Amino acid sequence: MQKELFNRKYKLAWHVIFWCLGVLLLTSIFYLYGENISLQLFLKSIIINLFFSIGVYINLYYLIPKFLKQKNYIFYFFWLILLLSLISFALQFLFLYPLHSFTSLFSNNHSFNPNLHSAYFFSSLSYVAVSTFIKLIKDWFTLQDLNLKLATIEKQKLEAELKTLKGQLNPHFLFNSLNNIYSLALIRSDKVPGLIIKLSDLMRHIIYDSRENYISLDKEIDFVNNFIELQKIRTSEKTKITYTIKGNIPNARIAPLLFEPFIDNAFKHGLPGSSENDFISILFDFEKEGQLLFKIENNFEFYTHSTKQHSGIGLENVKKRMELLYKPDEYQYRIEKKERVFSVELILKLK
């Protein structure tokens, strides 16, 4: 409330200063044209400025909002010219008749003067032009400030949403990995200590590296390598696992943990483990400059697995994260289920 009252007083002060300067300017012009400084000369300047203020405020509070900001330029200029013309005629009428007895307030020529009409018209136009320019500049700064506030709010909202998605993703990954190691611990496998160390490295990547929205692509590929090794413990010996990297890994940045949900779903949901034809194929292709192609395929049993099962929490999260971190033209995302083969293809523009 106090801030609003202060803003009103601040605005009023600027308006008073503007018109005081207008009176001083007009008085100075009359003085330069040979009129003596007097109280009557100040009164003449004040009266003229009062009429100019009518044009200024009608323009600011009616013509600009109703026509100029609505891009009705023809109507805006039509009504503005008409308004300024009426003000010019009114000033001449006022000085010729109601103020005729105050001969010092106007020239000795008491008939309509086209040159004087033009002088009033263009003088009032200059006031309108200056005030319009100030208003447009002020509106522009207000708009920039509003856009900055909106951008800050949007950024905070984005960061909060990303934290929520990461918070959902990390426990999901941890839960699956611990389940795998637990299953080996039950059979007292010698692999357990090494897998615990590997899991520790993976969790370090998640806890520290993935705090940023974008990380080194090298780090993410290292994470994928270790993650695949960890996931192999849940697969049957009959399963054929193919993991290929084409081209050199470029020096680029990428959103962390994009590939983990796809790989995790392939191992968890895709393999019936009852056939020698079970397979998982994972491909990273960096041969096209500035672009990454990721493709993963796996077979599934039609009667036990559905598309809905494949599109679990992890896949939905990674889709939302891509929408938040990348522009629509920076990635292509396709999921396909065909002839008992589930495939995901992601084409991503590298940063």
Side-chain angles (χ1 to χ4, degrees), residues 82-133:
L82 181 61
L83 173 66
L84 299 182
S85 298
L86 290 175
I87 289 172
S88 301
F89 279 116
L91 276 170
Q92 286 211 68
F93 176 82
L94 183 68
F95 284 118
L96 285 174
Y97 297 101
L99 298 180
H100 182 45
S101 58
F102 300 96
T103 55
S104 60
L105 292 179
F106 48 89
S107 63
N108 292 328
N109 183 7
H110 303 316
S111 60
F112 179 79
N113 187 337
N115 292 330
L116 188 60
H117 173 78
S118 297
Y120 285 142
F121 178 89
F122 287 106
S123 296
S124 59
L125 178 61
S126 65
Y127 276 70
V128 168
V130 170
S131 60
T132 300
F133 177 76

Side-chain angles (χ1 to χ4, degrees), residues 124-145:
S124 59
L125 178 61
S126 65
Y127 276 70
V128 168
V130 170
S131 60
T132 300
F133 177 76
I134 293 173
K135 178 175 176 58
L136 294 178
I137 290 295
K138 180 183 175 183
D139 288 350
W140 184 83
F141 277 109
T142 302
L143 181 62
Q144 295 305 307
D145 184 57

